[in-house]
Amino acid sequence: MGTADVEAVWRIESARIVAALTRFTGDFGLAEDAAQEAVAEALVSWPLAAPANPAGWLMATARRRAIDAIRRRTALQDRYALLAADPAVDEEIDPDKIDDDVLALMFISCHPVLSPEARVALTLRVVGGLSSEQIARAFLVPVPTVQARITRAKKTIAAAGVPFELPPAGERRERLGGVLSVLYVIFTEGSTATSGDRLLRPDVAYEAIRLARTLAALQPAEPEVHGLLALCELTAARFPARTGPDGSPILLADQDRRRWDFSAIRRGLAALTKASTRGLGPYGLQAAIAATHASAPSVEATDWDRIVVLYEALGRVAPSPVVELNRAVAVAMASGPAQALAIVDELVASDQLPGSHLLPTVRGELLARLGRRPEARAELELAARLCANQRERSVLLRKAAALG
Amino acid sequence: MPKYMLIMRGTDESNAAMMASIEEGIARTRLFIEEMMKAGVLLGAEGLDDPGQGVVVDFSGETPVVTDGPYGETKELFGGFFLLEVASKQEAVEWAKRVPAAPGSKIEVRRVPEEDEVPQDSTVQR
């Protein structure tokens, strides 16, 4: 068995192992450390002698490491006695309990006491089973930064006395919203990289989709979980058409829709149906917008009126300047650039998106459509200066130059 | 992300063994499917009906010829599939090892090529 085989088993088992250990030790940080030690041991010993039951091996080894760690903490002798007396750790196969454990792990990893960066790193590490190296590569940060974030996060959780349990029913939905936003941040990083020279990092987006599927399987009665999953699937469905062979971005209008992933669209639409049981929430509404695009044969034949209405609804449940800007784009398509420019100008006047390249990008496009070329050019050049993604920047500069 | 199809290949014996305790087999398969759903890797899963109920469309001649069957040995015949989206071939293999398959049967693990590996518009220069 090679490194990749160990990683494969680890990806499948890590969440359950960390969750089970956390329940038995009552200490999330210790459980995570012990699990990491077990996988490190596996990387050394499996290539020499592969165990018959890799999952059981990992669990047993992690449990021994946890006991070692507790034994070293003399102050916790009583807890060690309790733990050592309990033989049921690896025999435990109550699926409901495992599900609750994994879900509790998600809630811990996305706990509000943690910084957003820590939530992302911890979720990918303990629920997704990614190594610090993989997370660092995904987010283009140094490995020690990821390690430090995870270490600090575990200390923060311990210091705050965060219990390992599902949040009480009253808090559950709000906390679930926090979990969803972490998954969405991960997805967004993969679907439009905030920095670097690549527009898409599908592997990052895929991790978010995988975790969203897990959450949807564990919380099937929560419409917004399906809404987020639908949004991710429908957005990812366009990935194959979003970049050219050289990696440059291709705008929606120019995308070859035959290259969209129709299986992903179908999965997204199915998830959207499940999200619609009690009226759509913010993710469900965004998914509905993505679905409207996905089922249109061309930009011209898109139901822009429906998209405007959906953005209006989104603006009511989750108001934000970005939603307003997107509504302006939809209005431009449905009713022309003049009406849209009024919305954008209002955003400019109230300084709603300071420093963002999106506002001047859209304003520049609208001005160009209105024939106000010098103004349009200045806006697009401003957008290019503000844009951190090199690929997007070159597109903006090209457009500005084309305006003469 | 890489997609893999786990293709179930039974034999007459393994199919017979499966049919002997079909309810248990179905229950175990359901649990396995649930496990893959909770791991976020399952895209699709279907079982196929008795091969004797199928037809074969043969393109050997100028026009397609339709015959009943396939009859005879079920070895090498597909009995069903799981379609997974996973990070690596090793992960697909790891899932394949966990399929509650009947003794004697085989599982073929085949990668589904990514969109950008399929030849596209001939005007695209690489």
Short mmCIF file of all heavy atoms in Angstrom, two decimals, chain A residues 30-87:
data_model
loop_
_atom_site.label_atom_id
_atom_site.label_comp_id
_atom_site.label_asym_id
_atom_site.label_seq_id
_atom_site.Cartn_x
_atom_site.Cartn_y
_atom_site.Cartn_z
N LEU A 30 -7.42 16.72 21.36
CA LEU A 30 -6.68 15.48 21.60
C LEU A 30 -7.07 14.43 20.56
O LEU A 30 -6.22 13.72 20.02
CB LEU A 30 -6.98 14.98 23.02
CG LEU A 30 -6.23 13.76 23.53
CD1 LEU A 30 -5.98 13.92 25.02
CD2 LEU A 30 -7.03 12.49 23.28
N ALA A 31 -8.35 14.34 20.28
CA ALA A 31 -8.83 13.36 19.30
C ALA A 31 -8.20 13.62 17.93
O ALA A 31 -7.75 12.69 17.26
CB ALA A 31 -10.35 13.42 19.21
N GLU A 32 -8.16 14.88 17.55
CA GLU A 32 -7.61 15.23 16.24
C GLU A 32 -6.11 14.91 16.18
O GLU A 32 -5.63 14.36 15.19
CB GLU A 32 -7.87 16.71 15.96
CG GLU A 32 -8.21 17.00 14.51
CD GLU A 32 -6.97 17.22 13.67
OE1 GLU A 32 -5.96 17.71 14.21
OE2 GLU A 32 -7.00 16.89 12.47
N ASP A 33 -5.39 15.25 17.26
CA ASP A 33 -3.96 14.94 17.31
C ASP A 33 -3.73 13.44 17.20
O ASP A 33 -2.87 12.98 16.45
CB ASP A 33 -3.34 15.44 18.64
CG ASP A 33 -3.26 16.96 18.67
OD1 ASP A 33 -3.37 17.58 17.60
OD2 ASP A 33 -3.08 17.51 19.78
N ALA A 34 -4.51 12.67 17.96
CA ALA A 34 -4.33 11.21 17.98
C ALA A 34 -4.61 10.64 16.59
O ALA A 34 -3.90 9.75 16.11
CB ALA A 34 -5.26 10.58 19.01
N ALA A 35 -5.65 11.16 15.94
CA ALA A 35 -5.99 10.69 14.60
C ALA A 35 -4.86 10.99 13.62
O ALA A 35 -4.50 10.17 12.78
CB ALA A 35 -7.30 11.32 14.14
N GLN A 36 -4.29 12.20 13.74
CA GLN A 36 -3.18 12.57 12.86
C GLN A 36 -1.97 11.67 13.09
O GLN A 36 -1.27 11.31 12.15
CB GLN A 36 -2.79 14.05 13.09
CG GLN A 36 -3.82 15.04 12.58
CD GLN A 36 -4.01 14.97 11.07
OE1 GLN A 36 -3.08 14.70 10.32
NE2 GLN A 36 -5.24 15.18 10.61
N GLU A 37 -1.73 11.33 14.37
CA GLU A 37 -0.61 10.43 14.66
C GLU A 37 -0.85 9.07 14.02
O GLU A 37 0.07 8.44 13.49
CB GLU A 37 -0.42 10.28 16.17
CG GLU A 37 0.25 11.47 16.82
CD GLU A 37 0.34 11.33 18.33
OE1 GLU A 37 0.62 10.21 18.80
OE2 GLU A 37 0.08 12.32 19.03
N ALA A 38 -2.09 8.62 14.07
CA ALA A 38 -2.42 7.31 13.49
C ALA A 38 -2.17 7.31 11.99
O ALA A 38 -1.60 6.35 11.45
CB ALA A 38 -3.87 6.95 13.80
N VAL A 39 -2.58 8.37 11.32
CA VAL A 39 -2.40 8.38 9.87
C VAL A 39 -0.92 8.51 9.53
O VAL A 39 -0.43 7.91 8.56
CB VAL A 39 -3.27 9.47 9.18
CG1 VAL A 39 -2.73 10.86 9.37
CG2 VAL A 39 -3.40 9.17 7.70
N ALA A 40 -0.16 9.25 10.35
CA ALA A 40 1.28 9.36 10.12
C ALA A 40 1.93 7.98 10.27
O ALA A 40 2.81 7.60 9.50
CB ALA A 40 1.90 10.35 11.11
N GLU A 41 1.47 7.23 11.28
CA GLU A 41 2.00 5.87 11.48
C GLU A 41 1.64 4.97 10.30
O GLU A 41 2.45 4.16 9.86
CB GLU A 41 1.39 5.28 12.75
CG GLU A 41 2.38 5.16 13.89
CD GLU A 41 1.72 4.63 15.14
OE1 GLU A 41 1.57 3.41 15.26
OE2 GLU A 41 1.34 5.47 15.99
N ALA A 42 0.41 5.14 9.80
CA ALA A 42 -0.03 4.33 8.66
C ALA A 42 0.86 4.58 7.44
O ALA A 42 1.22 3.66 6.71
CB ALA A 42 -1.49 4.63 8.33
N LEU A 43 1.22 5.85 7.25
CA LEU A 43 2.05 6.20 6.09
C LEU A 43 3.40 5.49 6.15
O LEU A 43 4.00 5.18 5.12
CB LEU A 43 2.26 7.72 6.03
CG LEU A 43 1.05 8.52 5.53
CD1 LEU A 43 1.20 10.00 5.83
CD2 LEU A 43 0.83 8.29 4.04
N VAL A 44 3.87 5.23 7.37
CA VAL A 44 5.16 4.55 7.52
C VAL A 44 4.99 3.03 7.42
O VAL A 44 5.74 2.35 6.73
CB VAL A 44 5.80 4.91 8.89
CG1 VAL A 44 7.07 4.11 9.12
CG2 VAL A 44 6.08 6.40 8.95
N SER A 45 3.97 2.49 8.10
CA SER A 45 3.92 1.03 8.22
C SER A 45 3.12 0.31 7.14
O SER A 45 3.41 -0.84 6.83
CB SER A 45 3.41 0.64 9.62
OG SER A 45 2.05 0.95 9.74
N TRP A 46 2.12 0.95 6.55
CA TRP A 46 1.32 0.24 5.54
C TRP A 46 2.09 -0.17 4.30
O TRP A 46 1.83 -1.25 3.74
CB TRP A 46 0.06 1.04 5.16
CG TRP A 46 -0.95 1.11 6.26
CD1 TRP A 46 -0.76 0.74 7.57
CD2 TRP A 46 -2.28 1.59 6.17
NE1 TRP A 46 -1.90 0.98 8.29
CE2 TRP A 46 -2.86 1.50 7.46
CE3 TRP A 46 -3.06 2.10 5.13
CZ2 TRP A 46 -4.16 1.89 7.74
CZ3 TRP A 46 -4.36 2.49 5.40
CH2 TRP A 46 -4.90 2.38 6.69
N PRO A 47 3.02 0.68 3.83
CA PRO A 47 3.77 0.23 2.66
C PRO A 47 4.56 -1.06 2.93
O PRO A 47 4.86 -1.81 2.01
CB PRO A 47 4.73 1.39 2.38
CG PRO A 47 4.05 2.58 2.97
CD PRO A 47 3.36 2.06 4.21
N LEU A 48 4.89 -1.32 4.20
CA LEU A 48 5.64 -2.53 4.55
C LEU A 48 4.70 -3.72 4.76
O LEU A 48 4.96 -4.82 4.30
CB LEU A 48 6.47 -2.30 5.82
CG LEU A 48 7.39 -1.06 5.77
CD1 LEU A 48 8.01 -0.77 7.13
CD2 LEU A 48 8.47 -1.24 4.70
N ALA A 49 3.61 -3.46 5.47
CA ALA A 49 2.65 -4.52 5.73
C ALA A 49 1.26 -3.91 5.81
O ALA A 49 0.92 -3.25 6.78
CB ALA A 49 2.99 -5.24 7.04
N ALA A 50 0.47 -4.15 4.77
CA ALA A 50 -0.87 -3.57 4.74
C ALA A 50 -1.79 -4.34 5.68
O ALA A 50 -1.79 -5.57 5.68
CB ALA A 50 -1.42 -3.61 3.32
N PRO A 51 -2.55 -3.62 6.53
CA PRO A 51 -3.45 -4.32 7.44
C PRO A 51 -4.64 -4.91 6.69
O PRO A 51 -5.02 -4.40 5.63
CB PRO A 51 -3.91 -3.21 8.38
CG PRO A 51 -3.75 -1.96 7.59
CD PRO A 51 -2.63 -2.17 6.63
N ALA A 52 -5.21 -5.97 7.24
CA ALA A 52 -6.37 -6.60 6.61
C ALA A 52 -7.58 -5.66 6.66
O ALA A 52 -8.39 -5.62 5.75
CB ALA A 52 -6.69 -7.92 7.31
N ASN A 53 -7.66 -4.92 7.76
CA ASN A 53 -8.79 -4.00 7.93
C ASN A 53 -8.25 -2.60 8.20
O ASN A 53 -8.07 -2.19 9.34
CB ASN A 53 -9.65 -4.49 9.09
CG ASN A 53 -10.79 -3.54 9.42
OD1 ASN A 53 -10.96 -2.50 8.76
ND2 ASN A 53 -11.55 -3.86 10.44
N PRO A 54 -7.96 -1.85 7.12
CA PRO A 54 -7.31 -0.54 7.28
C PRO A 54 -8.09 0.42 8.18
O PRO A 54 -7.51 1.12 9.01
CB PRO A 54 -7.23 -0.01 5.85
CG PRO A 54 -7.32 -1.21 4.98
CD PRO A 54 -8.20 -2.17 5.72
N ALA A 55 -9.43 0.44 8.02
CA ALA A 55 -10.23 1.36 8.82
C ALA A 55 -10.13 1.01 10.30
O ALA A 55 -9.95 1.89 11.16
CB ALA A 55 -11.69 1.31 8.36
N GLY A 56 -10.23 -0.28 10.60
CA GLY A 56 -10.14 -0.72 11.99
C GLY A 56 -8.75 -0.44 12.57
O GLY A 56 -8.62 -0.04 13.73
N TRP A 57 -7.74 -0.64 11.73
CA TRP A 57 -6.35 -0.36 12.15
C TRP A 57 -6.21 1.10 12.55
O TRP A 57 -5.64 1.43 13.60
CB TRP A 57 -5.41 -0.70 11.00
CG TRP A 57 -3.94 -0.66 11.31
CD1 TRP A 57 -3.14 -1.73 11.59
CD2 TRP A 57 -3.09 0.50 11.36
NE1 TRP A 57 -1.85 -1.30 11.81
CE2 TRP A 57 -1.79 0.06 11.69
CE3 TRP A 57 -3.31 1.87 11.18
CZ2 TRP A 57 -0.70 0.93 11.81
CZ3 TRP A 57 -2.24 2.73 11.31
CH2 TRP A 57 -0.94 2.27 11.62
N LEU A 58 -6.71 1.99 11.72
CA LEU A 58 -6.60 3.43 12.00
C LEU A 58 -7.30 3.78 13.30
O LEU A 58 -6.78 4.51 14.14
CB LEU A 58 -7.20 4.25 10.85
CG LEU A 58 -6.33 4.46 9.62
CD1 LEU A 58 -7.14 5.13 8.52
CD2 LEU A 58 -5.10 5.30 9.95
N MET A 59 -8.51 3.23 13.45
CA MET A 59 -9.29 3.54 14.65
C MET A 59 -8.59 3.02 15.90
O MET A 59 -8.45 3.74 16.89
CB MET A 59 -10.69 2.93 14.52
CG MET A 59 -11.58 3.17 15.72
SD MET A 59 -11.75 4.94 16.09
CE MET A 59 -13.45 5.17 15.66
N ALA A 60 -8.09 1.78 15.83
CA ALA A 60 -7.43 1.19 17.01
C ALA A 60 -6.15 1.95 17.36
O ALA A 60 -5.88 2.24 18.52
CB ALA A 60 -7.11 -0.29 16.74
N THR A 61 -5.39 2.31 16.31
CA THR A 61 -4.14 3.03 16.55
C THR A 61 -4.41 4.42 17.12
O THR A 61 -3.77 4.85 18.08
CB THR A 61 -3.33 3.14 15.23
OG1 THR A 61 -3.18 1.83 14.70
CG2 THR A 61 -1.98 3.78 15.47
N ALA A 62 -5.38 5.10 16.54
CA ALA A 62 -5.72 6.44 17.02
C ALA A 62 -6.18 6.37 18.48
O ALA A 62 -5.84 7.23 19.29
CB ALA A 62 -6.81 7.05 16.14
N ARG A 63 -6.94 5.34 18.77
CA ARG A 63 -7.43 5.19 20.14
C ARG A 63 -6.27 4.98 21.11
O ARG A 63 -6.21 5.56 22.19
CB ARG A 63 -8.41 4.01 20.21
CG ARG A 63 -8.99 3.83 21.59
CD ARG A 63 -10.02 2.71 21.59
NE ARG A 63 -10.53 2.56 22.93
CZ ARG A 63 -10.44 1.43 23.61
NH1 ARG A 63 -9.88 0.37 23.07
NH2 ARG A 63 -10.93 1.37 24.82
N ARG A 64 -5.30 4.13 20.68
CA ARG A 64 -4.12 3.91 21.54
C ARG A 64 -3.35 5.21 21.75
O ARG A 64 -2.90 5.52 22.84
CB ARG A 64 -3.20 2.86 20.90
CG ARG A 64 -3.50 1.44 21.34
CD ARG A 64 -2.30 0.51 21.10
NE ARG A 64 -1.85 0.53 19.70
CZ ARG A 64 -2.42 -0.19 18.73
NH1 ARG A 64 -3.45 -0.97 19.01
NH2 ARG A 64 -1.97 -0.13 17.51
N ARG A 65 -3.22 6.00 20.69
CA ARG A 65 -2.49 7.28 20.80
C ARG A 65 -3.24 8.22 21.74
O ARG A 65 -2.62 8.96 22.51
CB ARG A 65 -2.31 7.92 19.42
CG ARG A 65 -1.39 7.18 18.50
CD ARG A 65 0.05 7.13 19.03
NE ARG A 65 0.75 5.97 18.51
CZ ARG A 65 0.90 4.81 19.18
NH1 ARG A 65 0.42 4.67 20.41
NH2 ARG A 65 1.52 3.79 18.63
N ALA A 66 -4.54 8.19 21.67
CA ALA A 66 -5.34 9.05 22.55
C ALA A 66 -5.13 8.63 24.00
O ALA A 66 -4.96 9.47 24.91
CB ALA A 66 -6.81 8.97 22.17
N ILE A 67 -5.12 7.31 24.23
CA ILE A 67 -4.92 6.82 25.59
C ILE A 67 -3.52 7.21 26.08
O ILE A 67 -3.35 7.68 27.21
CB ILE A 67 -5.12 5.29 25.65
CG1 ILE A 67 -6.59 4.96 25.40
CG2 ILE A 67 -4.67 4.73 27.01
CD1 ILE A 67 -6.89 3.47 25.27
N ASP A 68 -2.51 7.07 25.19
CA ASP A 68 -1.14 7.48 25.56
C ASP A 68 -1.12 8.94 25.99
O ASP A 68 -0.50 9.30 26.99
CB ASP A 68 -0.19 7.32 24.36
CG ASP A 68 0.06 5.86 24.02
OD1 ASP A 68 -0.32 5.01 24.86
OD2 ASP A 68 0.59 5.59 22.93
N ALA A 69 -1.79 9.77 25.20
CA ALA A 69 -1.78 11.21 25.48
C ALA A 69 -2.43 11.50 26.82
O ALA A 69 -1.94 12.32 27.61
CB ALA A 69 -2.49 11.96 24.36
N ILE A 70 -3.52 10.81 27.08
CA ILE A 70 -4.23 11.05 28.34
C ILE A 70 -3.40 10.53 29.52
O ILE A 70 -3.33 11.16 30.57
CB ILE A 70 -5.62 10.40 28.31
CG1 ILE A 70 -6.51 11.19 27.34
CG2 ILE A 70 -6.25 10.38 29.70
CD1 ILE A 70 -7.85 10.56 27.10
N ARG A 71 -2.72 9.39 29.26
CA ARG A 71 -1.88 8.82 30.31
C ARG A 71 -0.79 9.83 30.71
O ARG A 71 -0.42 9.94 31.86
CB ARG A 71 -1.26 7.51 29.80
CG ARG A 71 -0.54 6.71 30.86
CD ARG A 71 0.04 5.46 30.25
NE ARG A 71 -0.95 4.41 30.12
CZ ARG A 71 -0.94 3.48 29.18
NH1 ARG A 71 0.00 3.50 28.24
NH2 ARG A 71 -1.85 2.54 29.15
N ARG A 72 -0.29 10.54 29.71
CA ARG A 72 0.76 11.52 29.99
C ARG A 72 0.24 12.69 30.83
O ARG A 72 0.98 13.35 31.51
CB ARG A 72 1.35 12.06 28.68
CG ARG A 72 2.30 11.07 28.01
CD ARG A 72 3.13 11.74 26.93
NE ARG A 72 2.32 12.25 25.85
CZ ARG A 72 2.01 11.55 24.74
NH1 ARG A 72 2.44 10.33 24.60
NH2 ARG A 72 1.27 12.09 23.79
N ARG A 73 -1.04 12.91 30.75
CA ARG A 73 -1.60 14.02 31.54
C ARG A 73 -2.06 13.46 32.88
O ARG A 73 -3.21 13.04 33.01
CB ARG A 73 -2.80 14.63 30.83
CG ARG A 73 -2.46 15.23 29.50
CD ARG A 73 -3.74 15.78 28.94
NE ARG A 73 -3.58 16.21 27.57
CZ ARG A 73 -4.58 16.69 26.84
NH1 ARG A 73 -5.79 16.77 27.35
NH2 ARG A 73 -4.37 17.06 25.61
N THR A 74 -1.17 13.48 33.84
CA THR A 74 -1.47 12.82 35.11
C THR A 74 -2.72 13.38 35.77
O THR A 74 -3.44 12.67 36.46
CB THR A 74 -0.28 12.96 36.09
OG1 THR A 74 0.14 14.31 36.06
CG2 THR A 74 0.85 12.03 35.71
N ALA A 75 -2.99 14.64 35.52
CA ALA A 75 -4.16 15.25 36.14
C ALA A 75 -5.46 14.60 35.68
O ALA A 75 -6.50 14.76 36.31
CB ALA A 75 -4.18 16.74 35.85
N LEU A 76 -5.37 13.87 34.59
CA LEU A 76 -6.60 13.31 34.03
C LEU A 76 -6.68 11.79 34.24
O LEU A 76 -7.30 11.08 33.48
CB LEU A 76 -6.68 13.64 32.54
CG LEU A 76 -6.85 15.12 32.23
CD1 LEU A 76 -6.71 15.37 30.73
CD2 LEU A 76 -8.20 15.63 32.72
N GLN A 77 -6.00 11.33 35.30
CA GLN A 77 -5.97 9.89 35.57
C GLN A 77 -7.36 9.25 35.59
O GLN A 77 -7.58 8.17 35.06
CB GLN A 77 -5.27 9.60 36.90
CG GLN A 77 -3.76 9.56 36.81
CD GLN A 77 -3.25 8.48 35.86
OE1 GLN A 77 -3.97 7.56 35.51
NE2 GLN A 77 -2.01 8.61 35.44
N ASP A 78 -8.28 9.94 36.20
CA ASP A 78 -9.62 9.35 36.33
C ASP A 78 -10.27 9.14 34.97
O ASP A 78 -10.91 8.12 34.72
CB ASP A 78 -10.50 10.22 37.23
CG ASP A 78 -10.47 11.67 36.83
OD1 ASP A 78 -9.55 12.08 36.07
OD2 ASP A 78 -11.35 12.43 37.25
N ARG A 79 -10.04 10.09 34.09
CA ARG A 79 -10.64 9.96 32.78
C ARG A 79 -10.00 8.81 32.01
O ARG A 79 -10.64 8.09 31.26
CB ARG A 79 -10.48 11.26 32.00
CG ARG A 79 -11.39 11.33 30.80
CD ARG A 79 -11.16 12.56 30.01
NE ARG A 79 -11.84 13.71 30.58
CZ ARG A 79 -11.73 14.94 30.07
NH1 ARG A 79 -10.95 15.14 29.05
NH2 ARG A 79 -12.38 15.93 30.61
N TYR A 80 -8.69 8.65 32.22
CA TYR A 80 -7.99 7.55 31.57
C TYR A 80 -8.58 6.20 32.00
O TYR A 80 -8.83 5.32 31.17
CB TYR A 80 -6.50 7.60 31.91
CG TYR A 80 -5.78 6.31 31.60
CD1 TYR A 80 -5.74 5.83 30.28
CD2 TYR A 80 -5.19 5.55 32.60
CE1 TYR A 80 -5.12 4.64 29.99
CE2 TYR A 80 -4.56 4.36 32.32
CZ TYR A 80 -4.53 3.89 31.02
OH TYR A 80 -3.94 2.71 30.73
N ALA A 81 -8.80 6.09 33.29
CA ALA A 81 -9.36 4.84 33.82
C ALA A 81 -10.70 4.55 33.15
O ALA A 81 -10.99 3.43 32.72
CB ALA A 81 -9.52 4.94 35.33
N LEU A 82 -11.48 5.57 33.01
CA LEU A 82 -12.80 5.44 32.40
C LEU A 82 -12.69 4.97 30.94
O LEU A 82 -13.39 4.09 30.49
CB LEU A 82 -13.45 6.83 32.45
CG LEU A 82 -14.96 6.91 32.35
CD1 LEU A 82 -15.44 7.77 33.53
CD2 LEU A 82 -15.37 7.57 31.06
N LEU A 83 -11.74 5.60 30.26
CA LEU A 83 -11.56 5.32 28.85
C LEU A 83 -11.04 3.89 28.64
O LEU A 83 -11.52 3.15 27.80
CB LEU A 83 -10.56 6.32 28.28
CG LEU A 83 -10.37 6.35 26.79
CD1 LEU A 83 -11.51 7.13 26.16
CD2 LEU A 83 -9.06 7.02 26.46
N ALA A 84 -10.02 3.53 29.45
CA ALA A 84 -9.40 2.22 29.30
C ALA A 84 -10.39 1.10 29.63
O ALA A 84 -10.28 0.00 29.12
CB ALA A 84 -8.18 2.13 30.20
N ALA A 85 -11.35 1.42 30.47
CA ALA A 85 -12.32 0.41 30.89
C ALA A 85 -13.40 0.20 29.83
O ALA A 85 -14.17 -0.75 29.90
CB ALA A 85 -12.95 0.81 32.22
N ASP A 86 -13.43 1.09 28.88
CA ASP A 86 -14.51 1.01 27.88
C ASP A 86 -14.00 0.28 26.64
O ASP A 86 -13.22 0.82 25.87
CB ASP A 86 -14.98 2.42 27.51
CG ASP A 86 -16.20 2.37 26.61
OD1 ASP A 86 -16.52 1.27 26.08
OD2 ASP A 86 -16.82 3.41 26.43
N PRO A 87 -14.41 -0.95 26.43
CA PRO A 87 -13.88 -1.72 25.32
C PRO A 87 -14.65 -1.50 24.01
O PRO A 87 -14.32 -2.10 23.00
CB PRO A 87 -14.09 -3.16 25.80
CG PRO A 87 -15.33 -3.09 26.65
CD PRO A 87 -15.45 -1.69 27.19
#
